Amino acid sequence: MAQDPRAAAGPEQLLGELEATVMQVIWRRGDVTVHDVLGELAPARPLAYTTVMTIMSRLREKGILTARRQGKAYVYHATGTPSQFVAQRAQQAVQDVLHNFGDVALAQFLRELDHADPAHLASLRSLLAEESADVG
């Protein structure tokens, strides 16, 4: 069955499976150490400490997490909410398409909008207004 093209991708579709699992813990708990995440995942999914540490380090390198040293450990925090993460990824994807295809990409976006349902266009305008309000 095809996915509804209007349905937004979630973090699970934009991250690797283990990255998404780790991020769900972090988004739920806020500030965490590798040990915290490992402890929460351990009952259902036994992982090595170094595996979780590597995943969290890579998420930090990607700008999805920040880290501060606290004693001997690092405390990690998400740089945004799940919806902000998805919006940032969407923005980057659009910028990449525009960079690679320029006006041809814009023309294709406009062509798609010509065929869009008016109610869907209204919901898109509402979404855009919400995002503009969040930025402002």
Side-chain angles (χ1 to χ4, degrees):
M1 176 186 275
Q3 181 180 0
D4 181 351
R6 294 173 293 180
E12 301 79 18
Q13 289 82 32
L14 301 171
L15 294 167
E17 189 255 330
L18 187 52
E19 288 178 330
T21 300
V22 167
M23 284 308 301
Q24 290 303 329
V25 172
I26 296 167
W27 278 316
R28 187 172 51 257
R29 294 189 56 174
D31 290 346
V32 295
T33 63
V34 172
H35 185 73
D36 296 333
V37 173
L38 184 64
E40 187 161 328
L41 296 178
R45 187 170 188 167
L47 296 166
Y49 181 92
T50 54
T51 300
V52 176
M53 182 178 65
T54 298
I55 292 296
M56 292 172 70
S57 293
R58 288 183 181 159
L59 290 166
R60 181 182 179 195
E61 290 169 7
K62 293 177 182 181
I64 301 168
L65 294 177
T66 60
R68 71 179 189 285
R69 193 158 186 92
Q70 187 172 327
K72 293 183 178 183
Y74 281 96
V75 176
Y76 293 85
H77 186 84
T79 57
T81 65
S83 61
Q84 289 169 332
F85 168 73
V86 170
Q88 289 167 347
R89 286 294 175 102
Q91 180 182 18
Q92 185 62 53
V94 169
Q95 289 172 347
D96 290 347
V97 168
L98 292 175
H99 175 77
N100 290 319
F101 298 99
D103 288 347
V104 173
L106 287 174
Q108 293 302 318
F109 282 128
L110 291 173
R111 177 179 288 152
E112 289 299 316
L113 290 175
D114 284 342
H115 301 294
D117 175 56
H120 185 215
L121 287 174
S123 70
L124 290 173
R125 285 187 191 94
S126 176
L127 178 63
L128 185 58
E130 288 174 21
E131 288 181 1
S132 295
D134 287 345
V135 172

